[in-house]
Amino acid sequence: HVAERQRLTDAFAMHLSAVHPRSAAALVGDVVYGIVPVHAGGADAEERAARIAADFLERVGERQELRVGVGPYARDSGGLPASRAGADRALRVLRAGAGPRSVARIADVFVESLLLELGDVIAERGDPPSGPVVRLMAYDKAHHTRLVPTLRAWP
């Protein structure tokens, strides 16, 4: 696994350097991070980063289920932590199975990201489900249905 991730990191670094010679890629844990310097900011930069990622995924093929989260544009190195956090949040949404896409900007999946974070807060506090969700859970249990998981998967 580690060797395969390192090969993927190296391939991604080569792909990025073909796009921009001052790009960088690094493996941190099980995530490969890439940084591409761009001259324009905002949505255009994020869309460009998403296209670069999609091109890379197309080149490596379907042999692996890869997902790419794109964080918000960082004006300078001080903005990189927030950009990484946004990329991680987008990646989490993709890993949770929110649709068939393999690349997402945080701007594209912002609501889904907030819902996952809300679920974390509820789980951390130990709040039990209530209202209509409890009724659906009881129905699922009594009738061997999967309404609650279906709602979770709804895009």
Side-chain angles (χ1 to χ4, degrees), residues 106-147:
I106 185 59
D108 299 329
V109 295
F110 188 75
V111 172
E112 293 94 333
S113 174
L114 288 177
L115 290 173
L116 287 172
E117 291 172 15
L118 181 59
D120 293 344
V121 169
I122 290 169
E124 186 177 308
R125 289 193 321 214
D127 292 349
S130 63
V133 174
V134 171
R135 291 193 300 275
L136 284 175
M137 291 171 77
Y139 186 91
D140 277 352
K141 186 174 183 176
H143 297 92
H144 307 290
T145 57
R146 299 187 43 79
L147 298 176

PDB file of all heavy atoms in Angstrom, residues 106-147:
ATOM      1  N   ILE A 106     -14.490  22.370  -2.752  1.00  0.00           N
ATOM      2  CA  ILE A 106     -15.255  22.542  -1.517  1.00  0.00           C
ATOM      3  C   ILE A 106     -16.487  23.400  -1.786  1.00  0.00           C
ATOM      4  O   ILE A 106     -17.543  23.169  -1.218  1.00  0.00           O
ATOM      5  CB  ILE A 106     -14.397  23.092  -0.350  1.00  0.00           C
ATOM      6  CG1 ILE A 106     -15.209  23.128   0.955  1.00  0.00           C
ATOM      7  CG2 ILE A 106     -13.840  24.460  -0.667  1.00  0.00           C
ATOM      8  CD1 ILE A 106     -15.756  21.814   1.428  1.00  0.00           C
ATOM      9  N   ALA A 107     -16.372  24.354  -2.705  1.00  0.00           N
ATOM     10  CA  ALA A 107     -17.528  25.196  -3.046  1.00  0.00           C
ATOM     11  C   ALA A 107     -18.664  24.364  -3.627  1.00  0.00           C
ATOM     12  O   ALA A 107     -19.832  24.701  -3.458  1.00  0.00           O
ATOM     13  CB  ALA A 107     -17.104  26.281  -4.038  1.00  0.00           C
ATOM     14  N   ASP A 108     -18.332  23.252  -4.297  1.00  0.00           N
ATOM     15  CA  ASP A 108     -19.352  22.396  -4.908  1.00  0.00           C
ATOM     16  C   ASP A 108     -20.075  21.529  -3.889  1.00  0.00           C
ATOM     17  O   ASP A 108     -21.207  21.112  -4.123  1.00  0.00           O
ATOM     18  CB  ASP A 108     -18.724  21.466  -5.954  1.00  0.00           C
ATOM     19  CG  ASP A 108     -18.068  22.212  -7.093  1.00  0.00           C
ATOM     20  OD1 ASP A 108     -18.535  23.322  -7.431  1.00  0.00           O
ATOM     21  OD2 ASP A 108     -17.079  21.678  -7.641  1.00  0.00           O
ATOM     22  N   VAL A 109     -19.406  21.211  -2.785  1.00  0.00           N
ATOM     23  CA  VAL A 109     -19.960  20.269  -1.814  1.00  0.00           C
ATOM     24  C   VAL A 109     -20.042  20.882  -0.418  1.00  0.00           C
ATOM     25  O   VAL A 109     -20.037  20.166   0.580  1.00  0.00           O
ATOM     26  CB  VAL A 109     -19.141  18.956  -1.785  1.00  0.00           C
ATOM     27  CG1 VAL A 109     -19.252  18.211  -3.109  1.00  0.00           C
ATOM     28  CG2 VAL A 109     -17.687  19.220  -1.446  1.00  0.00           C
ATOM     29  N   PHE A 110     -20.148  22.188  -0.367  1.00  0.00           N
ATOM     30  CA  PHE A 110     -20.127  22.893   0.918  1.00  0.00           C
ATOM     31  C   PHE A 110     -21.250  22.437   1.845  1.00  0.00           C
ATOM     32  O   PHE A 110     -21.013  22.143   3.019  1.00  0.00           O
ATOM     33  CB  PHE A 110     -20.202  24.405   0.680  1.00  0.00           C
ATOM     34  CG  PHE A 110     -20.002  25.204   1.932  1.00  0.00           C
ATOM     35  CD1 PHE A 110     -18.739  25.334   2.489  1.00  0.00           C
ATOM     36  CD2 PHE A 110     -21.065  25.827   2.556  1.00  0.00           C
ATOM     37  CE1 PHE A 110     -18.541  26.067   3.649  1.00  0.00           C
ATOM     38  CE2 PHE A 110     -20.882  26.563   3.714  1.00  0.00           C
ATOM     39  CZ  PHE A 110     -19.615  26.683   4.270  1.00  0.00           C
ATOM     40  N   VAL A 111     -22.459  22.343   1.339  1.00  0.00           N
ATOM     41  CA  VAL A 111     -23.600  21.947   2.179  1.00  0.00           C
ATOM     42  C   VAL A 111     -23.419  20.524   2.684  1.00  0.00           C
ATOM     43  O   VAL A 111     -23.630  20.239   3.869  1.00  0.00           O
ATOM     44  CB  VAL A 111     -24.932  22.116   1.418  1.00  0.00           C
ATOM     45  CG1 VAL A 111     -26.088  21.521   2.196  1.00  0.00           C
ATOM     46  CG2 VAL A 111     -25.194  23.585   1.131  1.00  0.00           C
ATOM     47  N   GLU A 112     -23.011  19.615   1.792  1.00  0.00           N
ATOM     48  CA  GLU A 112     -22.795  18.230   2.201  1.00  0.00           C
ATOM     49  C   GLU A 112     -21.723  18.152   3.287  1.00  0.00           C
ATOM     50  O   GLU A 112     -21.842  17.378   4.237  1.00  0.00           O
ATOM     51  CB  GLU A 112     -22.384  17.365   1.006  1.00  0.00           C
ATOM     52  CG  GLU A 112     -23.465  17.200  -0.034  1.00  0.00           C
ATOM     53  CD  GLU A 112     -23.373  18.231  -1.162  1.00  0.00           C
ATOM     54  OE1 GLU A 112     -22.843  19.351  -0.930  1.00  0.00           O
ATOM     55  OE2 GLU A 112     -23.847  17.921  -2.263  1.00  0.00           O
ATOM     56  N   SER A 113     -20.688  18.983   3.151  1.00  0.00           N
ATOM     57  CA  SER A 113     -19.625  19.022   4.148  1.00  0.00           C
ATOM     58  C   SER A 113     -20.163  19.484   5.502  1.00  0.00           C
ATOM     59  O   SER A 113     -19.836  18.907   6.543  1.00  0.00           O
ATOM     60  CB  SER A 113     -18.509  19.952   3.671  1.00  0.00           C
ATOM     61  OG  SER A 113     -17.534  20.113   4.664  1.00  0.00           O
ATOM     62  N   LEU A 114     -20.981  20.520   5.476  1.00  0.00           N
ATOM     63  CA  LEU A 114     -21.576  21.007   6.727  1.00  0.00           C
ATOM     64  C   LEU A 114     -22.458  19.946   7.378  1.00  0.00           C
ATOM     65  O   LEU A 114     -22.455  19.795   8.607  1.00  0.00           O
ATOM     66  CB  LEU A 114     -22.395  22.271   6.466  1.00  0.00           C
ATOM     67  CG  LEU A 114     -21.605  23.542   6.160  1.00  0.00           C
ATOM     68  CD1 LEU A 114     -22.555  24.691   5.844  1.00  0.00           C
ATOM     69  CD2 LEU A 114     -20.684  23.902   7.307  1.00  0.00           C
ATOM     70  N   LEU A 115     -23.197  19.192   6.563  1.00  0.00           N
ATOM     71  CA  LEU A 115     -24.049  18.135   7.119  1.00  0.00           C
ATOM     72  C   LEU A 115     -23.211  17.040   7.776  1.00  0.00           C
ATOM     73  O   LEU A 115     -23.579  16.529   8.842  1.00  0.00           O
ATOM     74  CB  LEU A 115     -24.960  17.555   6.040  1.00  0.00           C
ATOM     75  CG  LEU A 115     -26.059  18.495   5.549  1.00  0.00           C
ATOM     76  CD1 LEU A 115     -26.800  17.880   4.363  1.00  0.00           C
ATOM     77  CD2 LEU A 115     -27.029  18.827   6.677  1.00  0.00           C
ATOM     78  N   LEU A 116     -22.089  16.675   7.160  1.00  0.00           N
ATOM     79  CA  LEU A 116     -21.201  15.689   7.787  1.00  0.00           C
ATOM     80  C   LEU A 116     -20.657  16.214   9.105  1.00  0.00           C
ATOM     81  O   LEU A 116     -20.596  15.480  10.100  1.00  0.00           O
ATOM     82  CB  LEU A 116     -20.059  15.327   6.842  1.00  0.00           C
ATOM     83  CG  LEU A 116     -20.414  14.460   5.642  1.00  0.00           C
ATOM     84  CD1 LEU A 116     -19.228  14.343   4.685  1.00  0.00           C
ATOM     85  CD2 LEU A 116     -20.881  13.081   6.090  1.00  0.00           C
ATOM     86  N   GLU A 117     -20.274  17.483   9.126  1.00  0.00           N
ATOM     87  CA  GLU A 117     -19.761  18.078  10.358  1.00  0.00           C
ATOM     88  C   GLU A 117     -20.846  18.167  11.425  1.00  0.00           C
ATOM     89  O   GLU A 117     -20.580  17.949  12.615  1.00  0.00           O
ATOM     90  CB  GLU A 117     -19.166  19.455  10.075  1.00  0.00           C
ATOM     91  CG  GLU A 117     -17.893  19.380   9.261  1.00  0.00           C
ATOM     92  CD  GLU A 117     -17.378  20.741   8.807  1.00  0.00           C
ATOM     93  OE1 GLU A 117     -17.830  21.770   9.350  1.00  0.00           O
ATOM     94  OE2 GLU A 117     -16.523  20.756   7.919  1.00  0.00           O
ATOM     95  N   LEU A 118     -22.054  18.459  11.014  1.00  0.00           N
ATOM     96  CA  LEU A 118     -23.172  18.488  11.960  1.00  0.00           C
ATOM     97  C   LEU A 118     -23.391  17.098  12.553  1.00  0.00           C
ATOM     98  O   LEU A 118     -23.622  16.955  13.753  1.00  0.00           O
ATOM     99  CB  LEU A 118     -24.441  18.991  11.268  1.00  0.00           C
ATOM    100  CG  LEU A 118     -25.686  19.100  12.127  1.00  0.00           C
ATOM    101  CD1 LEU A 118     -25.470  20.044  13.302  1.00  0.00           C
ATOM    102  CD2 LEU A 118     -26.862  19.578  11.277  1.00  0.00           C
ATOM    103  N   GLY A 119     -23.288  16.089  11.708  1.00  0.00           N
ATOM    104  CA  GLY A 119     -23.392  14.710  12.206  1.00  0.00           C
ATOM    105  C   GLY A 119     -22.317  14.403  13.229  1.00  0.00           C
ATOM    106  O   GLY A 119     -22.573  13.714  14.228  1.00  0.00           O
ATOM    107  N   ASP A 120     -21.099  14.921  13.009  1.00  0.00           N
ATOM    108  CA  ASP A 120     -20.012  14.730  13.979  1.00  0.00           C
ATOM    109  C   ASP A 120     -20.363  15.363  15.315  1.00  0.00           C
ATOM    110  O   ASP A 120     -20.135  14.770  16.373  1.00  0.00           O
ATOM    111  CB  ASP A 120     -18.714  15.356  13.462  1.00  0.00           C
ATOM    112  CG  ASP A 120     -18.153  14.662  12.239  1.00  0.00           C
ATOM    113  OD1 ASP A 120     -18.573  13.527  11.937  1.00  0.00           O
ATOM    114  OD2 ASP A 120     -17.290  15.283  11.577  1.00  0.00           O
ATOM    115  N   VAL A 121     -20.900  16.585  15.270  1.00  0.00           N
ATOM    116  CA  VAL A 121     -21.258  17.300  16.510  1.00  0.00           C
ATOM    117  C   VAL A 121     -22.335  16.535  17.262  1.00  0.00           C
ATOM    118  O   VAL A 121     -22.241  16.341  18.484  1.00  0.00           O
ATOM    119  CB  VAL A 121     -21.726  18.740  16.193  1.00  0.00           C
ATOM    120  CG1 VAL A 121     -22.339  19.399  17.419  1.00  0.00           C
ATOM    121  CG2 VAL A 121     -20.568  19.566  15.665  1.00  0.00           C
ATOM    122  N   ILE A 122     -23.334  16.071  16.544  1.00  0.00           N
ATOM    123  CA  ILE A 122     -24.428  15.324  17.178  1.00  0.00           C
ATOM    124  C   ILE A 122     -23.902  14.037  17.800  1.00  0.00           C
ATOM    125  O   ILE A 122     -24.248  13.695  18.930  1.00  0.00           O
ATOM    126  CB  ILE A 122     -25.543  15.044  16.151  1.00  0.00           C
ATOM    127  CG1 ILE A 122     -26.246  16.353  15.796  1.00  0.00           C
ATOM    128  CG2 ILE A 122     -26.531  14.015  16.672  1.00  0.00           C
ATOM    129  CD1 ILE A 122     -27.180  16.254  14.611  1.00  0.00           C
ATOM    130  N   ALA A 123     -23.038  13.317  17.082  1.00  0.00           N
ATOM    131  CA  ALA A 123     -22.472  12.078  17.609  1.00  0.00           C
ATOM    132  C   ALA A 123     -21.600  12.349  18.828  1.00  0.00           C
ATOM    133  O   ALA A 123     -21.643  11.600  19.808  1.00  0.00           O
ATOM    134  CB  ALA A 123     -21.665  11.371  16.524  1.00  0.00           C
ATOM    135  N   GLU A 124     -20.817  13.430  18.780  1.00  0.00           N
ATOM    136  CA  GLU A 124     -19.937  13.766  19.898  1.00  0.00           C
ATOM    137  C   GLU A 124     -20.738  14.097  21.155  1.00  0.00           C
ATOM    138  O   GLU A 124     -20.358  13.726  22.261  1.00  0.00           O
ATOM    139  CB  GLU A 124     -19.045  14.948  19.514  1.00  0.00           C
ATOM    140  CG  GLU A 124     -17.999  15.275  20.560  1.00  0.00           C
ATOM    141  CD  GLU A 124     -17.087  16.397  20.106  1.00  0.00           C
ATOM    142  OE1 GLU A 124     -16.531  16.293  18.992  1.00  0.00           O
ATOM    143  OE2 GLU A 124     -16.946  17.382  20.862  1.00  0.00           O
ATOM    144  N   ARG A 125     -21.829  14.814  20.971  1.00  0.00           N
ATOM    145  CA  ARG A 125     -22.668  15.176  22.124  1.00  0.00           C
ATOM    146  C   ARG A 125     -23.506  14.004  22.600  1.00  0.00           C
ATOM    147  O   ARG A 125     -24.013  14.026  23.712  1.00  0.00           O
ATOM    148  CB  ARG A 125     -23.592  16.333  21.763  1.00  0.00           C
ATOM    149  CG  ARG A 125     -22.884  17.636  21.612  1.00  0.00           C
ATOM    150  CD  ARG A 125     -23.818  18.809  21.567  1.00  0.00           C
ATOM    151  NE  ARG A 125     -25.038  18.587  20.821  1.00  0.00           N
ATOM    152  CZ  ARG A 125     -25.674  19.494  20.118  1.00  0.00           C
ATOM    153  NH1 ARG A 125     -25.203  20.720  20.062  1.00  0.00           N
ATOM    154  NH2 ARG A 125     -26.781  19.221  19.482  1.00  0.00           N
ATOM    155  N   GLY A 126     -23.687  13.014  21.732  1.00  0.00           N
ATOM    156  CA  GLY A 126     -24.508  11.868  22.115  1.00  0.00           C
ATOM    157  C   GLY A 126     -25.993  12.130  21.998  1.00  0.00           C
ATOM    158  O   GLY A 126     -26.793  11.427  22.617  1.00  0.00           O
ATOM    159  N   ASP A 127     -26.376  13.141  21.228  1.00  0.00           N
ATOM    160  CA  ASP A 127     -27.798  13.425  21.044  1.00  0.00           C
ATOM    161  C   ASP A 127     -28.477  12.263  20.332  1.00  0.00           C
ATOM    162  O   ASP A 127     -28.044  11.857  19.255  1.00  0.00           O
ATOM    163  CB  ASP A 127     -28.005  14.690  20.203  1.00  0.00           C
ATOM    164  CG  ASP A 127     -27.567  15.949  20.913  1.00  0.00           C
ATOM    165  OD1 ASP A 127     -27.304  15.883  22.130  1.00  0.00           O
ATOM    166  OD2 ASP A 127     -27.492  16.998  20.252  1.00  0.00           O
ATOM    167  N   PRO A 128     -29.531  11.739  20.921  1.00  0.00           N
ATOM    168  CA  PRO A 128     -30.250  10.658  20.234  1.00  0.00           C
ATOM    169  C   PRO A 128     -31.105  11.238  19.108  1.00  0.00           C
ATOM    170  O   PRO A 128     -31.512  12.402  19.156  1.00  0.00           O
ATOM    171  CB  PRO A 128     -31.136  10.071  21.338  1.00  0.00           C
ATOM    172  CG  PRO A 128     -31.346  11.208  22.282  1.00  0.00           C
ATOM    173  CD  PRO A 128     -30.098  12.046  22.220  1.00  0.00           C
ATOM    174  N   PRO A 129     -31.354  10.447  18.074  1.00  0.00           N
ATOM    175  CA  PRO A 129     -32.251  10.918  17.012  1.00  0.00           C
ATOM    176  C   PRO A 129     -33.629  11.224  17.593  1.00  0.00           C
ATOM    177  O   PRO A 129     -34.037  10.655  18.608  1.00  0.00           O
ATOM    178  CB  PRO A 129     -32.325   9.743  16.044  1.00  0.00           C
ATOM    179  CG  PRO A 129     -31.226   8.821  16.427  1.00  0.00           C
ATOM    180  CD  PRO A 129     -30.873   9.110  17.844  1.00  0.00           C
ATOM    181  N   SER A 130     -34.339  12.127  16.921  1.00  0.00           N
ATOM    182  CA  SER A 130     -35.672  12.486  17.397  1.00  0.00           C
ATOM    183  C   SER A 130     -36.579  12.782  16.212  1.00  0.00           C
ATOM    184  O   SER A 130     -36.123  12.827  15.066  1.00  0.00           O
ATOM    185  CB  SER A 130     -35.595  13.700  18.325  1.00  0.00           C
ATOM    186  OG  SER A 130     -35.116  14.818  17.612  1.00  0.00           O
ATOM    187  N   GLY A 131     -37.849  13.000  16.506  1.00  0.00           N
ATOM    188  CA  GLY A 131     -38.811  13.405  15.484  1.00  0.00           C
ATOM    189  C   GLY A 131     -39.011  12.360  14.398  1.00  0.00           C
ATOM    190  O   GLY A 131     -39.017  11.160  14.665  1.00  0.00           O
ATOM    191  N   PRO A 132     -39.150  12.820  13.163  1.00  0.00           N
ATOM    192  CA  PRO A 132     -39.448  11.916  12.049  1.00  0.00           C
ATOM    193  C   PRO A 132     -38.364  10.858  11.821  1.00  0.00           C
ATOM    194  O   PRO A 132     -38.665   9.753  11.379  1.00  0.00           O
ATOM    195  CB  PRO A 132     -39.538  12.846  10.835  1.00  0.00           C
ATOM    196  CG  PRO A 132     -39.758  14.209  11.378  1.00  0.00           C
ATOM    197  CD  PRO A 132     -39.159  14.223  12.749  1.00  0.00           C
ATOM    198  N   VAL A 133     -37.120  11.180  12.161  1.00  0.00           N
ATOM    199  CA  VAL A 133     -36.039  10.206  11.957  1.00  0.00           C
ATOM    200  C   VAL A 133     -36.261   8.973  12.832  1.00  0.00           C
ATOM    201  O   VAL A 133     -36.062   7.844  12.389  1.00  0.00           O
ATOM    202  CB  VAL A 133     -34.660  10.846  12.242  1.00  0.00           C
ATOM    203  CG1 VAL A 133     -33.552   9.818  12.177  1.00  0.00           C
ATOM    204  CG2 VAL A 133     -34.391  11.982  11.265  1.00  0.00           C
ATOM    205  N   VAL A 134     -36.695   9.177  14.065  1.00  0.00           N
ATOM    206  CA  VAL A 134     -36.962   8.049  14.959  1.00  0.00           C
ATOM    207  C   VAL A 134     -38.074   7.177  14.381  1.00  0.00           C
ATOM    208  O   VAL A 134     -37.986   5.947  14.412  1.00  0.00           O
ATOM    209  CB  VAL A 134     -37.330   8.543  16.382  1.00  0.00           C
ATOM    210  CG1 VAL A 134     -37.827   7.407  17.246  1.00  0.00           C
ATOM    211  CG2 VAL A 134     -36.134   9.211  17.021  1.00  0.00           C
ATOM    212  N   ARG A 135     -39.103   7.812  13.832  1.00  0.00           N
ATOM    213  CA  ARG A 135     -40.202   7.032  13.238  1.00  0.00           C
ATOM    214  C   ARG A 135     -39.717   6.233  12.034  1.00  0.00           C
ATOM    215  O   ARG A 135     -40.102   5.082  11.848  1.00  0.00           O
ATOM    216  CB  ARG A 135     -41.358   7.954  12.861  1.00  0.00           C
ATOM    217  CG  ARG A 135     -42.075   8.534  14.096  1.00  0.00           C
ATOM    218  CD  ARG A 135     -43.407   9.190  13.774  1.00  0.00           C
ATOM    219  NE  ARG A 135     -43.323  10.307  12.834  1.00  0.00           N
ATOM    220  CZ  ARG A 135     -43.052  11.569  13.169  1.00  0.00           C
ATOM    221  NH1 ARG A 135     -42.844  11.881  14.437  1.00  0.00           N
ATOM    222  NH2 ARG A 135     -43.013  12.512  12.260  1.00  0.00           N
ATOM    223  N   LEU A 136     -38.869   6.847  11.215  1.00  0.00           N
ATOM    224  CA  LEU A 136     -38.316   6.121  10.064  1.00  0.00           C
ATOM    225  C   LEU A 136     -37.427   4.960  10.516  1.00  0.00           C
ATOM    226  O   LEU A 136     -37.466   3.873   9.929  1.00  0.00           O
ATOM    227  CB  LEU A 136     -37.510   7.056   9.163  1.00  0.00           C
ATOM    228  CG  LEU A 136     -38.311   7.987   8.269  1.00  0.00           C
ATOM    229  CD1 LEU A 136     -37.366   8.927   7.534  1.00  0.00           C
ATOM    230  CD2 LEU A 136     -39.149   7.202   7.280  1.00  0.00           C
ATOM    231  N   MET A 137     -36.634   5.176  11.560  1.00  0.00           N
ATOM    232  CA  MET A 137     -35.774   4.103  12.072  1.00  0.00           C
ATOM    233  C   MET A 137     -36.625   2.944  12.588  1.00  0.00           C
ATOM    234  O   MET A 137     -36.310   1.772  12.338  1.00  0.00           O
ATOM    235  CB  MET A 137     -34.862   4.641  13.171  1.00  0.00           C
ATOM    236  CG  MET A 137     -33.806   5.603  12.645  1.00  0.00           C
ATOM    237  SD  MET A 137     -32.889   6.462  13.947  1.00  0.00           S
ATOM    238  CE  MET A 137     -31.780   5.157  14.471  1.00  0.00           C
ATOM    239  N   ALA A 138     -37.705   3.267  13.285  1.00  0.00           N
ATOM    240  CA  ALA A 138     -38.604   2.224  13.792  1.00  0.00           C
ATOM    241  C   ALA A 138     -39.270   1.484  12.635  1.00  0.00           C
ATOM    242  O   ALA A 138     -39.409   0.245  12.670  1.00  0.00           O
ATOM    243  CB  ALA A 138     -39.659   2.843  14.710  1.00  0.00           C
ATOM    244  N   TYR A 139     -39.671   2.203  11.616  1.00  0.00           N
ATOM    245  CA  TYR A 139     -40.279   1.578  10.438  1.00  0.00           C
ATOM    246  C   TYR A 139     -39.280   0.640   9.757  1.00  0.00           C
ATOM    247  O   TYR A 139     -39.626  -0.490   9.398  1.00  0.00           O
ATOM    248  CB  TYR A 139     -40.764   2.651   9.458  1.00  0.00           C
ATOM    249  CG  TYR A 139     -41.519   2.080   8.291  1.00  0.00           C
ATOM    250  CD1 TYR A 139     -42.905   1.929   8.350  1.00  0.00           C
ATOM    251  CD2 TYR A 139     -40.861   1.683   7.139  1.00  0.00           C
ATOM    252  CE1 TYR A 139     -43.608   1.382   7.289  1.00  0.00           C
ATOM    253  CE2 TYR A 139     -41.550   1.138   6.071  1.00  0.00           C
ATOM    254  CZ  TYR A 139     -42.931   0.991   6.146  1.00  0.00           C
ATOM    255  OH  TYR A 139     -43.615   0.445   5.091  1.00  0.00           O
ATOM    256  N   ASP A 140     -38.045   1.115   9.579  1.00  0.00           N
ATOM    257  CA  ASP A 140     -37.008   0.274   8.984  1.00  0.00           C
ATOM    258  C   ASP A 140     -36.830  -1.024   9.766  1.00  0.00           C
ATOM    259  O   ASP A 140     -36.745  -2.108   9.187  1.00  0.00           O
ATOM    260  CB  ASP A 140     -35.664   1.008   8.937  1.00  0.00           C
ATOM    261  CG  ASP A 140     -35.517   1.933   7.741  1.00  0.00           C
ATOM    262  OD1 ASP A 140     -36.384   1.917   6.852  1.00  0.00           O
ATOM    263  OD2 ASP A 140     -34.505   2.674   7.710  1.00  0.00           O
ATOM    264  N   LYS A 141     -36.785  -0.904  11.080  1.00  0.00           N
ATOM    265  CA  LYS A 141     -36.581  -2.081  11.925  1.00  0.00           C
ATOM    266  C   LYS A 141     -37.762  -3.041  11.838  1.00  0.00           C
ATOM    267  O   LYS A 141     -37.581  -4.249  11.683  1.00  0.00           O
ATOM    268  CB  LYS A 141     -36.363  -1.647  13.374  1.00  0.00           C
ATOM    269  CG  LYS A 141     -35.990  -2.773  14.302  1.00  0.00           C
ATOM    270  CD  LYS A 141     -35.639  -2.250  15.674  1.00  0.00           C
ATOM    271  CE  LYS A 141     -35.197  -3.421  16.541  1.00  0.00           C
ATOM    272  NZ  LYS A 141     -34.766  -2.973  17.851  1.00  0.00           N
ATOM    273  N   ALA A 142     -38.978  -2.503  11.877  1.00  0.00           N
ATOM    274  CA  ALA A 142     -40.180  -3.355  11.860  1.00  0.00           C
ATOM    275  C   ALA A 142     -40.429  -4.003  10.500  1.00  0.00           C
ATOM    276  O   ALA A 142     -40.927  -5.117  10.422  1.00  0.00           O
ATOM    277  CB  ALA A 142     -41.405  -2.533  12.274  1.00  0.00           C
ATOM    278  N   HIS A 143     -40.076  -3.312   9.417  1.00  0.00           N
ATOM    279  CA  HIS A 143     -40.403  -3.795   8.072  1.00  0.00           C
ATOM    280  C   HIS A 143     -39.178  -4.216   7.248  1.00  0.00           C
ATOM    281  O   HIS A 143     -39.313  -4.518   6.060  1.00  0.00           O
ATOM    282  CB  HIS A 143     -41.183  -2.713   7.315  1.00  0.00           C
ATOM    283  CG  HIS A 143     -42.498  -2.398   7.943  1.00  0.00           C
ATOM    284  ND1 HIS A 143     -42.647  -1.381   8.872  1.00  0.00           N
ATOM    285  CD2 HIS A 143     -43.710  -2.978   7.813  1.00  0.00           C
ATOM    286  CE1 HIS A 143     -43.897  -1.342   9.272  1.00  0.00           C
ATOM    287  NE2 HIS A 143     -44.576  -2.304   8.658  1.00  0.00           N
ATOM    288  N   HIS A 144     -38.019  -4.231   7.906  1.00  0.00           N
ATOM    289  CA  HIS A 144     -36.778  -4.627   7.218  1.00  0.00           C
ATOM    290  C   HIS A 144     -36.542  -3.807   5.945  1.00  0.00           C
ATOM    291  O   HIS A 144     -36.170  -4.346   4.910  1.00  0.00           O
ATOM    292  CB  HIS A 144     -36.767  -6.130   6.918  1.00  0.00           C
ATOM    293  CG  HIS A 144     -37.021  -6.966   8.119  1.00  0.00           C
ATOM    294  ND1 HIS A 144     -36.107  -7.094   9.143  1.00  0.00           N
ATOM    295  CD2 HIS A 144     -38.104  -7.707   8.488  1.00  0.00           C
ATOM    296  CE1 HIS A 144     -36.611  -7.877  10.080  1.00  0.00           C
ATOM    297  NE2 HIS A 144     -37.823  -8.261   9.714  1.00  0.00           N
ATOM    298  N   THR A 145     -36.778  -2.513   6.063  1.00  0.00           N
ATOM    299  CA  THR A 145     -36.541  -1.604   4.939  1.00  0.00           C
ATOM    300  C   THR A 145     -35.263  -0.811   5.206  1.00  0.00           C
ATOM    301  O   THR A 145     -34.633  -0.970   6.250  1.00  0.00           O
ATOM    302  CB  THR A 145     -37.729  -0.643   4.737  1.00  0.00           C
ATOM    303  OG1 THR A 145     -37.952   0.079   5.958  1.00  0.00           O
ATOM    304  CG2 THR A 145     -38.998  -1.402   4.368  1.00  0.00           C
ATOM    305  N   ARG A 146     -34.910   0.067   4.269  1.00  0.00           N
ATOM    306  CA  ARG A 146     -33.687   0.866   4.389  1.00  0.00           C
ATOM    307  C   ARG A 146     -33.978   2.325   4.043  1.00  0.00           C
ATOM    308  O   ARG A 146     -33.263   2.943   3.260  1.00  0.00           O
ATOM    309  CB  ARG A 146     -32.610   0.278   3.482  1.00  0.00           C
ATOM    310  CG  ARG A 146     -32.267  -1.166   3.875  1.00  0.00           C
ATOM    311  CD  ARG A 146     -31.094  -1.768   3.144  1.00  0.00           C
ATOM    312  NE  ARG A 146     -29.926  -0.941   2.972  1.00  0.00           N
ATOM    313  CZ  ARG A 146     -28.995  -0.695   3.894  1.00  0.00           C
ATOM    314  NH1 ARG A 146     -29.121  -1.219   5.087  1.00  0.00           N
ATOM    315  NH2 ARG A 146     -27.956   0.055   3.623  1.00  0.00           N
ATOM    316  N   LEU A 147     -35.014   2.879   4.644  1.00  0.00           N
ATOM    317  CA  LEU A 147     -35.377   4.263   4.359  1.00  0.00           C
ATOM    318  C   LEU A 147     -34.340   5.256   4.897  1.00  0.00           C
ATOM    319  O   LEU A 147     -33.990   6.221   4.200  1.00  0.00           O
ATOM    320  CB  LEU A 147     -36.752   4.578   4.942  1.00  0.00           C
ATOM    321  CG  LEU A 147     -37.922   3.765   4.379  1.00  0.00           C
ATOM    322  CD1 LEU A 147     -39.215   4.098   5.121  1.00  0.00           C
ATOM    323  CD2 LEU A 147     -38.066   4.011   2.891  1.00  0.00           C
TER     324      LEU A 147
END
